[in-house]
Amino acid sequence: MKVLVYSTHGFEKNFLINANQNKHDLFFTTEQLNENTASLSNGFDAVALFSSDNANSKSIQELKTNGVKYISLRSVGYDHVDINIAQQNSLKVANVPAYSPQAIAEHAVALLMTLNRKIILAQNLMHTNDYRLDDLIGFDLYKKTVGIVGTGKIGAAFSRIMKGFGCNLLAHDIYENQELIQETGITYTSLQNLCNQADVVAIFCPLTPQTKYLFNKESFNWMKSNAIFINVARGGVVNTRDMLDALNTKKFAQAGLDVYENEKPIYFKKHDKKPDDLLFEELKNHPNVLITGHQAFLTQEALSQIAQTTINNLDQWEKLGVSEHEI
Ligand code: NAD
């Protein structure tokens, strides 16, 4: 198949080339798919999309006019694709339903440990020949309570790691993960109780109408004043304004974030000037916030699995006319 890979990033290109093994003709563009760039797809059988592409109704209709039949997503999420319009236009869409949950869980641990042990401040002090330790006190995770919101694949992987640290585990989810209970002794409870008890609150639930702003003024008020909050799930689960207000009024202590509710126009590219987003500036510069730019998935293993499934979806469409991961 002739495939146009939109929004190609340096970090993924070689993984896609290796997974492809010359089976399909891959053409790489750094352009993001939107109604202005959909015309690039003329003559392609398929497009491969990143989560920052915009497969809205207009883009999809142009893809269809240009002869595109398949959309292979390089992501789990498909909220950037108008699935109904794709179906109406007989375009098949498939995603990467799962890839290394450990990659994301381990990044959550990295954020937690960096905040708790003040690693960034320690490094900065080191570079200014200031070897005092007075501002670098953390706490043992051993025997502390960790609250995990969303105990699916990533939340379960994080729970197992925290169990290894010797933590007590609390969970909140709409479903109880029985296997995880057996394995780790995790206890399910209400969100309020979890926030009341936990020294660390970490969220791993998807962004849905039910989880939009699940963390808001009220939930931050429930938290312990020394607690660390970690979000590697989706920015929209957290009301950023409420979170900054809660930090400023010491409702909780520190936040480690890999996602931000208005990240789409900002992340995954270099900007010549500051993004025009005052809330983001405040967040980024807050002394008690550690923020990474949606990189929790960025391990060799996860990238390789994403590339493999993206290419497998194309293989299956070519050979069988149907892909096992069709949405
Ligand atoms: P999953 O589907 O295996 O698990 C999600 C869990 O959240 C499920 O147990 C589900 O029951 C629970 N949940 C749903 N609604 C809830 C609610 N209202 N309250 C509490 N829990 C609720 O998904 P996963 O693979 O573990 O991924 C979790 C999320 O992580 C994804 O949806 C995605 O947003 C995010 N993610 C982030 C990155 C990154 O690079 N930062 C990468 C991959 C995934």
Side-chain angles (χ1 to χ4, degrees), residues 76 97 99 101 104 149-156 172-175 203-208 210-211 214 232-234 258-259 294-298:
V76 179
Y99 57 85
I104 297 102
V149 180
T151 49
K153 292 179 284 297
I154 301 171
H172 175 71
D173 197 310
I174 46 176
Y175 301 109
I203 59 176
F204 306 96
C205 56
L207 176 60
T208 64
Q210 291 72 41
T211 63
L214 186 66
V232 297
R234 281 290 176 270
D258 187 50
V259 286
H294 207 139
Q295 66 170 78
F297 67 101
L298 214 63

Side-chain angles (χ1 to χ4, degrees), residues 25-322:
D25 290 332
L26 301 185
F27 291 79
F28 295 97
T29 174
T30 54
E31 293 285 350
Q32 186 187 49
L33 172 69
N34 55 47
E35 52 241 60
N36 301 319
T37 59
S39 56
L40 296 174
S41 67
N42 200 1
F44 285 90
D45 304 297
V47 292
L49 302 187
F50 191 68
S51 54
S52 56
D53 285 311
N54 190 1
N56 60 15
S57 166
K58 277 196 179 157
S59 314
I60 289 177
Q61 273 156 8
E62 178 134 12
L63 293 179
K64 166 80 176 173
T65 310
N66 287 344
V68 172
K69 294 178 216 62
Y70 307 107
I71 300 178
S72 189
L73 303 179
R74 314 192 308 271
S75 58
V76 179
Y78 47 87
D79 47 305
H80 54 303
V81 181
D82 192 328
I83 299 292
N84 286 336
I85 297 291
Q87 278 169 355
Q88 283 166 28
N89 283 280
S90 316
L91 256 79
K92 295 194 170 183
V93 184
N95 70 341
V96 179
Y99 57 85
S100 177
Q102 282 75 25
I104 297 102
E106 289 174 16
H107 190 75
V109 178
L111 290 173
L112 170 60
M113 294 308 288
T114 306
L115 279 171
N116 180 28
R117 303 308 295 266
K118 318 272 193 288
I119 301 295
I120 306 269
L121 177 59
Q123 176 79 349
N124 290 342
L125 290 174
M126 180 69 52
H127 286 154
T128 57
N129 294 312
D130 183 345
Y131 306 106
R132 290 172 301 169
L133 302 179
D134 308 313
D135 294 326
L136 301 179
I137 304 170
F139 58 80
D140 285 6
L141 278 163
Y142 181 64
K143 293 233 187 273
K144 293 296 183 307
T145 299
V146 176
I148 294 145
V149 180
T151 49
K153 292 179 284 297
I154 301 171
F158 181 80
S159 305
R160 291 187 195 102
I161 300 172
M162 289 296 102
K163 174 82 181 164
F165 273 80
C167 300
N168 305 315
L169 304 179
L170 290 179
H172 175 71
D173 197 310
I174 46 176
Y175 301 109
E176 295 194 356
N177 182 337
Q178 293 303 329
E179 206 182 310
L180 193 64
I181 296 175
Q182 298 267 310
E183 203 182 327
T184 65
I186 199 164
T187 306
Y188 282 82
T189 184
S190 67
L191 185 63
Q192 181 168 0
N193 193 42
L194 179 148
C195 290
N196 284 162
Q197 308 272 332
D199 302 287
V200 175
V201 175
I203 59 176
F204 306 96
C205 56
L207 176 60
T208 64
Q210 291 72 41
T211 63
K212 172 84 184 168
Y213 287 170
L214 186 66
F215 277 83
N216 53 32
K217 188 175 180 200
E218 188 181 26
S219 23
F220 285 121
N221 274 345
W222 293 332
M223 283 172 58
K224 288 165 83 163
S225 59
N226 66 339
I228 297 179
F229 176 72
I230 302 291
N231 181 14
V232 297
R234 281 290 176 270
V237 180
V238 175
N239 183 318
T240 311
R241 179 69 269 153
D242 287 356
M243 186 185 73
L244 286 166
D245 291 344
L247 275 171
N248 290 337
T249 51
K250 305 199 182 327
K251 302 291 181 205
F252 73 103
Q254 302 185 85
L257 313 168
D258 187 50
V259 286
Y260 163 58
E261 59 176 309
N262 306 318
E263 71 182 43
K264 244 190 177 161
I266 302 176
Y267 286 178
F268 303 118
K269 55 184 171 243
K270 184 174 188 308
H271 296 259
D272 294 331
K273 58 184 180 64
K274 261 189 214 169
D276 187 16
D277 183 334
L278 292 176
L279 187 65
F280 183 63
E281 276 305 300
E282 187 179 338
L283 182 69
K284 212 170 58 165
N285 295 323
H286 199 288
N288 298 353
V289 174
L290 175 61
I291 181 162
T292 52
H294 207 139
Q295 66 170 78
F297 67 101
L298 214 63
T299 67
Q300 311 249 358
E301 291 77 5
L303 289 170
S304 166
Q305 288 162 21
I306 292 168
Q308 202 63 56
T309 309
T310 303
I311 300 297
N312 280 349
N313 287 336
L314 296 166
D315 292 349
Q316 291 182 351
W317 277 324
E318 190 169 61
K319 289 189 191 126
L320 313 167
V322 61

